[in-house]
Structures are given as C-alpha cells and as structure tokens.
C-alpha cells in the first residue's frame, strides 16, 4: 500500500506564496504520476498540477503560470510552489499518485491526507 505524506500549506495573504510537498513511500509504476488536486468551496475537485516521473507537467487552467510543480525522483517527492495566491485558491489541497497522469481524480488510487490552504484578502 503506497502512502503519501504531505507537508506545507497554511494561511497567507493575497499575493503570497506557499510550498507543498508530498513524499511517496515507494517509487514504482503506481507512482509514475504525482501531483495535487484541490477542493474549493462550492466547486468539484479539480486538478491543480501533476507531473510524471519523466518531468512532464500538467496544470489546471486556473493556474495561469502562478504555480510550478517539480519532482525529486530519488526521494519520491513532489513539490508544488504556489505564487501570487488569491482568495479563490482557498481550499483543501490533496496529493495524489497513480500510474499515469490524468485530469480525472478517479484515475489516482493513492491519496494523501490533504492540507488546508487559506488565502485572505
């Protein structure tokens, strides 16, 4: 059973930055793709950013160049650097891992515990 341990998140003011980390317990086929989805109030869960082990990255349309996802394959850890955060970015951010990158959260069998991101105006 793959375990994903998340860190980071918290509260910032509008325009601020945060970094999320997600460490996987193994670097195998099932963690080929790692990244984050978020659940914001009033909306369905949506992809924030995911990246494959080869470095391909995919972002949600709302990111608009503000976030950067990266990955340390040696330590099976993914990072999400979020800049210019806005109040609309407030929500629960959850790390996910799966055998391939997809915008569909159902494609990811493994999930972290989630971390709250709160952006105040």
């Amino acid at each position: 059973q793959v375990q994903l341990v998340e860190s980071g998140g918290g509260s910032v003011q509008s325009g601020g930055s945060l970094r999320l980390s997600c460490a996987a317990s193994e670097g195998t086929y099932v963690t080929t793709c790692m990244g984050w989805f978020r659940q914001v109030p009033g909306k369905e869960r949506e992809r924030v950013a995911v990246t494959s082990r080869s470095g391909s990255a995919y972002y949600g349309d709302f990111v608009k160049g503000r976030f950067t996802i990266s990955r340390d394959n040696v330590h099976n850890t993914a990072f999400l650097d979020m800049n210019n955060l806005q109040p609309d970015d407030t929500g629960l951010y959850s790390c996910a891992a799966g055998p391939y990158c997809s915008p569909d959260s159902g494609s990811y069998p493994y999930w972290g515990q989630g971390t709250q991101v709160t952006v105040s105006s």
Side-chain angles (χ1 to χ4, degrees):
Q1 182 75 8
V2 176
Q3 294 185 334
L4 302 177
V5 178
E6 301 185 56
S7 60
S11 298
V12 294
Q13 291 188 328
S14 180
S17 299
L18 286 173
R19 187 180 223 205
L20 306 183
S21 299
C22 176
S25 58
E26 62 183 76
T28 61
Y29 169 71
V30 296
T31 57
T32 296
C33 190
M34 294 180 64
W36 281 266
F37 285 74
R38 73 179 188 181
Q39 183 77 58
V40 300
K43 293 184 178 181
E44 295 185 355
R45 180 182 285 183
E46 59 185 344
R47 180 181 64 180
V48 179
V50 296
T51 181
S52 68
R53 189 170 285 115
S54 64
S56 298
Y58 307 89
Y59 296 91
D61 291 341
F62 64 89
V63 170
K64 298 180 180 178
R66 299 179 297 139
F67 301 172
T68 302
I69 191 168
S70 59
R71 183 165 176 166
D72 177 353
N73 290 326
V74 174
H75 299 97
N76 304 317
T77 301
F79 304 95
L80 182 66
D81 290 295
M82 303 186 292
N83 298 311
N84 192 22
L85 284 161
Q86 300 299 314
D88 287 348
D89 294 315
T90 294
L92 182 67
Y93 286 65
S94 298
C95 178
Y100 59 92
C101 290
S102 167
D104 181 6
S105 62
S107 300
Y108 299 83
Y110 303 106
W111 291 84
Q113 76 276 17
T115 185
Q116 180 67 31
V117 170
T118 302
V119 186
S120 59
S121 57

